Amino acid sequence: MKKIYTGIWLLISLAFFASSHASAQNPDIAIGQWREHIPFNIVIGVTEVGETVYAASQYGIFTYSKTDGEVNLLTRIGGLSDYEISGIKAEKSIGIVLVAYSNSNIDLILPDQTIINLPDIKRKNIIGGKRINDILFADGHAYLSCEFGIVVIDLSKREVSDTYYIGQNGQNTNVNSLAFNGSQMLAATDSGMYIANYNDPNIFNYTAWVRETNLAQPTANYTSVTSLNGKFYAVKTNTAFSLDSVLEYNSGIWSSAFNDNYEGGRIDSYNNFLLYRNDFKVSALDASKNEIYSVNVNMYYNPNIRNGFVDDHGVFWVADKNNGLIRFSSAPYDLQKIAPNGPR
């Protein structure tokens, strides 16, 4: 009988210890406070400022320190202005991170972590959609590719400075992506590509934007554009086949950059690499289109690759919509999944 009592007392003690440990990991919430339960494994975008990586899930951001692995959370309760993030990108030379939301709201995260809200597009009465499709930084400004045109943000003044309606006769047109090669801007739309001289004082006017006609399909759907070493690159969808075309623009001539036999193609550039993503991988290519780094769906379980970039240390940081933030180093080989605790 004494052994039975001793066993019961041991079980009670263990249960009390487990309860105390759980309380320490999840401290009680004071009256009037909230605890967020955010699925941080659903990462839709990734960017960096210095040694800090910003990973955006749909409902919050977490940062990862490259130096010590520290993870910090940034959510609606913690300072963000809205929910459901649709895009994130950093102007790393001045340390500003731009966050776009599905309702077209915008946050600027400054180097001191101050958050400036720019709700101009969200509040603007526009016929049709207002979605922010892409973000481009150039000459101290952020250029937002939107469903109705282009919105310009002056980063030094922290304000919207202009709106370009580049469709025919100044009508709204869905701009999927923008690129800047140092002298010209290229806009990819659902019905072709338009080019303008960056220093044209009338660039805000649709007459400054000329449709690119030196193409096999000048009115096709072009989903993304970028620039590297003065050359433009573009991705065109192909409705007849399950593949996308990647084109290169050099000295006024468009030609095939490389062949891709899959759908979901998007192109970008960062750190002197072309960044190409399709439904199965994300790759970093040099100016000669040689694949230098790549993360693909065969490298880990249950992948859903969205985008990524290669940093100055040769580490590939990938946004994955199932696994969170992926850190991949090829020399030596190391692949890590990083995601704060949350519902899955």
Side-chain angles (χ1 to χ4, degrees):
M1 183 65 70
K2 186 175 182 181
K3 290 182 178 180
I4 294 175
Y5 288 143
T6 302
I8 293 173
W9 175 252
L10 179 61
L11 289 173
I12 293 172
S13 299
L14 288 172
F16 177 78
F17 173 79
S19 176
S20 299
H21 181 71
S23 296
Q25 296 296 316
N26 298 281
D28 292 337
I29 302 172
I31 295 174
Q33 293 182 334
W34 293 84
R35 174 183 291 150
E36 294 174 295
H37 297 276
I38 294 174
F40 282 109
N41 63 303
I42 305 176
V43 172
I44 53 91
V46 60
T47 191
E48 70 169 347
V49 174
E51 294 299 295
T52 301
V53 178
Y54 288 75
S57 75
Q58 287 182 297
Y59 301 104
I61 296 169
F62 69 89
T63 63
Y64 178 84
S65 170
K66 299 179 191 178
T67 55
D68 59 16
E70 181 181 1
V71 173
N72 289 298
L73 308 183
L74 188 58
T75 63
R76 180 70 176 85
I77 291 178
L80 295 179
S81 300
D82 224 313
Y83 299 98
E84 201 165 349
I85 298 168
S86 61
I88 187 170
K89 202 165 190 177
E91 217 303 2
K92 68 174 187 176
S93 65
I94 56 177
I96 291 180
V97 178
L98 191 150
V99 182
Y101 297 90
S102 61
N103 62 1
S104 304
N105 205 356
I106 298 166
D107 277 341
L108 299 178
I109 305 176
L110 306 186
D112 64 358
Q113 298 301 293
T114 300
I115 297 176
I116 306 295
N117 181 231
L118 301 177
D120 303 56
I121 305 176
K122 177 183 176 181
R123 294 176 178 173
K124 191 175 182 66
N125 291 321
I126 295 176
I127 298 174
K130 300 192 292 184
R131 184 181 67 244
I132 299 171
N133 297 316
D134 202 9
I135 304 164
L136 169 72
F137 294 108
D139 196 26
H141 293 77
Y143 293 84
L144 308 183
S145 304
C146 302
E147 277 190 286
F148 56 89
I150 301 166
V151 172
V152 186
I153 296 175
D154 187 322
L155 295 176
S156 63
K157 296 181 179 179
R158 321 314 195 210
E159 66 182 20
V160 172
S161 60
D162 215 337
T163 302
Y164 306 161
Y165 296 95
I166 67 172
Q168 187 175 10
N169 298 321
Q171 296 177 344
N172 292 6
T173 191
N174 184 29
V175 179
N176 294 313
S177 181
L178 284 165
F180 175 58
N181 68 356
S183 61
Q184 296 173 306
M185 294 197 79
L186 181 69
T189 78
D190 292 343
S191 56
M193 291 191 288
Y194 295 81
I195 196 164
N197 291 321
Y198 183 71
N199 292 320
D200 189 333
N202 296 314
I203 194 171
F204 63 88
N205 193 295
Y206 75 94
T207 58
W209 294 82
V210 179
R211 183 192 293 274
E212 276 292 288
T213 56
N214 190 20
L215 290 159
Q217 294 177 286
T219 60
N221 178 19
Y222 293 86
T223 58
S224 58
V225 289
T226 193
S227 176
L228 182 67
N229 295 340
K231 295 181 182 180
F232 285 126
Y233 296 85
V235 173
K236 179 185 71 66
T237 60
N238 191 330
T239 56
F241 306 99
S242 295
L243 54 88
D244 293 322
S245 300
V246 184
L247 306 176
E248 177 182 4
Y249 182 78
N250 189 25
S251 300
I253 298 174
W254 285 99
S255 59
S256 176
F258 55 89
N259 295 320
D260 184 51
N261 295 320
Y262 301 101
E263 291 182 297
R266 286 196 64 84
I267 200 160
D268 202 350
S269 56
Y270 188 76
N271 271 357
N272 294 316
F273 287 110
L274 283 175
L275 298 170
Y276 181 73
R277 187 219 82 180
N278 60 32
D279 287 341
F280 298 92
K281 68 176 181 178
V282 58
S283 300
L285 301 91
D286 63 17
S288 299
K289 279 83 73 180
N290 299 308
E291 186 176 85
I292 307 301
Y293 303 96
S294 181
V295 174
N296 64 66
V297 296
N298 297 313
M299 295 173 65
Y300 56 95
Y301 176 71
N302 194 27
N304 189 342
I305 295 170
R306 308 316 300 160
N307 50 62
F309 67 88
V310 177
D311 69 12
D312 293 335
H313 308 293
V315 176
F316 214 145
W317 300 91
V318 177
D320 188 289
K321 210 169 179 180
N322 290 335
N323 295 278
L325 175 64
I326 304 297
R327 180 193 183 278
F328 173 66
S329 174
S330 58
Y333 186 96
D334 180 50
L335 191 149
Q336 301 175 33
K337 300 177 183 179
I338 304 165
N341 292 330
R344 302 281 168 161

